[in-house]
């Protein structure tokens, strides 16, 4: 696998996710790196990853990276927290191209930000069960108390566009009450979808809580990494900055995708194998 050359600065940045949620990461990447071109790969035919086995998540992650490498990307950003938690630590060593996951940037920011050294993490079942966030936090500061909770109903609710209202309020309360009791001052949103629930999460946890959005943190880290590797594109902003590839293009894909991206999603291609 080490046969890929380090990309040139005018090559695109590749981003992948299990589905559409990773467009929250693309939204931040476009904001932080407005001059770059992006190729987004969403494995919409096989989403969700969050309740799959470790072996399957690793296999899907490898396949997704190989797809992006074929597009000659200069950097791979794994927008999916599930892939970043489970597969990235094991497979990173096999690639020469820089691969950035969402875990480390969010962990660094949360360790830096917490005042009372009590951090909460919410994510899919696979992410939480992997214990990766907890391990990485303790690598930086073993004294921090970490409280983790999987919130499997958040993803389907958000994909249905249920971002507010009684049902969402109740689900948020049921999932987050145990974390509130632990008096955390920082909460990592360890899932592509959760930034869309920020308002409701804040409403329940209180306005003092600091929400760490892995999308924002990884975008900042991507810029630093491209800079270090002399891979930042120095030319003018280009017209079609985003091309989107999906393994299944359902009728509602564009509508939901636009919600995640925060603007109209275009340039969508369906790929079959
Ligand atoms: N993209 C996944 C994540 O960030 C959420 C959706 C899924 O379960 O695949 O963990």
């Amino acid at each position: 696998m080490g046969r890929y050359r380090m990309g040139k600065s005018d090559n695109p940045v590749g981003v992948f996710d299990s589905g559409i949620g990773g467009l929250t990461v693309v939204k931040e990447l476009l904001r932080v790196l407005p001059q770059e071109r992006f190729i987004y790969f969403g494995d919409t035919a096989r989403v969700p990853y969050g309740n799959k086995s470790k072996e399957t998540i690793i296999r899907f992650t490898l396949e997704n990276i190989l797809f992006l490498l074929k597009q000659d990307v200069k950097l791979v950003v794994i927008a999916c927290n599930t892939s970043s938690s489970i597969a990235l630590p094991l497979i990173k060593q096999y690639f020469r191209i820089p691969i950035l996951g969402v875990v480390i940037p969010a962990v660094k920011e949360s360790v830096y930000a917490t005042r009372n050294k009590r951090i909460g993490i919410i994510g899919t079942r696979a992410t939480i069960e992997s214990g990766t966030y907890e391990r990485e936090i303790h690598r930086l500061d073993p004294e921090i108390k970490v409280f983790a909770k999987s919130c499997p109903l958040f993803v389907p609710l958000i994909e249905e566009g249920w971002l507010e209202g009684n049902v969402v309020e109740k689900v948020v309360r049921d999932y987050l009450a145990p974390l509130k009791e632990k008096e955390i001052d920082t909460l990592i949103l360890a899932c592509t979808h959760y930034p869309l629930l920020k308002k409701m999460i804040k409403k329940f946890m209180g306005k003092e809580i600091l929400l760490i959005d892995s999308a924002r943190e990884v975008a900042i880290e991507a810029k630093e990494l491209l800079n270090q590797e002399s891979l930042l594109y120095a030319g003018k902003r280009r017209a079609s900055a985003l091309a989107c590839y999906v393994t299944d293009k359902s009728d509602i894909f564009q509508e939901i995708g636009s919600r995640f991206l925060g603007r109209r999603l275009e340039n969508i291609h369906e790929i079959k194998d």
Side-chain angles (χ1 to χ4, degrees):
M1 282 189 204
R3 65 198 162 90
Y4 293 96
R5 275 183 303 111
M6 188 73 110
K8 295 197 286 314
S9 65
D10 58 348
N11 289 14
V13 173
V15 184
F16 83 81
D17 179 42
S18 53
I20 331 173
L23 289 166
T24 54
V25 174
V26 174
K27 180 181 175 185
E28 289 302 319
L29 284 164
L30 284 165
R31 203 174 54 79
V32 175
L33 292 163
Q35 74 288 6
E36 298 288 344
R37 271 186 310 132
F38 295 92
I39 292 188
Y40 180 78
F41 174 80
D43 195 6
T44 45
R46 302 192 292 196
V47 69
Y49 286 7
N51 52 17
K52 298 214 163 50
S53 69
K54 191 171 166 179
E55 291 70 28
T56 301
I57 295 165
I58 293 172
R59 178 160 58 85
F60 289 175
T61 301
L62 282 171
E63 289 170 8
N64 302 346
I65 294 175
L66 291 177
F67 171 82
L68 289 173
L69 291 180
K70 280 193 209 133
Q71 318 305 312
D72 236 354
V73 297
K74 59 183 174 184
L75 161 71
V76 172
V77 177
I78 305 187
C80 180
N81 280 264
T82 304
S83 287
S84 299
S85 305
I86 287 149
L88 185 59
L90 299 169
I91 63 171
K92 205 173 172 168
Q93 55 182 317
Y94 299 112
F95 295 91
R96 278 175 50 210
I97 187 161
I99 304 179
L100 201 56
V102 278
V103 175
I104 306 292
V107 161
K108 281 194 207 156
E109 181 56 24
S110 64
V111 168
Y112 169 78
T114 181
R115 291 287 161 259
N116 69 0
K117 291 191 184 266
R118 299 174 81 79
I119 298 177
I121 308 160
I122 51 174
T124 63
R125 268 206 193 95
T127 296
I128 297 305
E129 278 167 18
S130 75
T132 304
Y133 274 90
E134 202 160 339
R135 262 194 309 281
E136 293 300 334
I137 289 173
H138 285 149
R139 207 195 294 270
L140 295 183
D141 186 343
E143 282 179 9
I144 290 179
K145 296 262 182 299
V146 181
F147 306 94
K149 180 92 181 82
S150 63
C151 307
L153 283 177
F154 279 180
V155 167
L157 275 175
I158 295 165
E159 294 213 346
E160 281 301 316
W162 289 37
L163 307 180
E164 288 183 72
N166 295 345
V167 173
V168 180
E169 208 164 318
K170 171 144 180 44
V171 176
V172 167
R173 191 172 49 223
D174 279 18
Y175 280 145
L176 300 188
L179 295 182
K180 196 171 178 178
E181 265 172 33
K182 302 289 183 200
E183 298 183 340
I184 55 168
D185 70 350
T186 305
L187 177 62
I188 303 180
L189 308 180
C191 177
T192 44
H193 291 54
Y194 299 178
L196 279 88
L197 280 187
K198 262 185 190 167
K199 198 170 134 196
M200 296 301 277
I201 293 174
K202 208 147 195 163
K203 189 171 162 197
F204 176 71
M205 295 297 288
K207 54 179 185 320
E208 253 69 274
I209 189 91
L210 184 72
L211 300 182
I212 304 288
D213 176 341
S214 33
R216 220 196 51 200
E217 303 311 327
V218 78
I220 296 166
E221 189 119 342
K223 185 174 181 179
E224 276 166 20
L225 203 146
L226 288 176
N227 194 20
Q228 273 165 24
E229 306 275 350
S230 304
L231 285 173
L232 272 177
Y233 179 68
K236 288 214 190 82
R237 182 176 188 157
R238 290 163 289 201
S240 63
L242 173 64
C244 192
Y245 294 85
V246 290
T247 44
D248 179 79
K249 190 175 163 189
S250 68
D251 292 343
I252 53 164
F253 176 77
Q254 189 169 34
E255 184 197 321
I256 305 177
S258 303
R259 198 181 301 140
F260 283 96
L261 188 63
R263 67 185 203 204
R264 194 172 159 74
L265 181 62
E266 274 160 318
N267 207 359
I268 309 164
H269 313 269
E270 188 176 51
I271 47 168
K272 299 274 179 215
D273 298 321

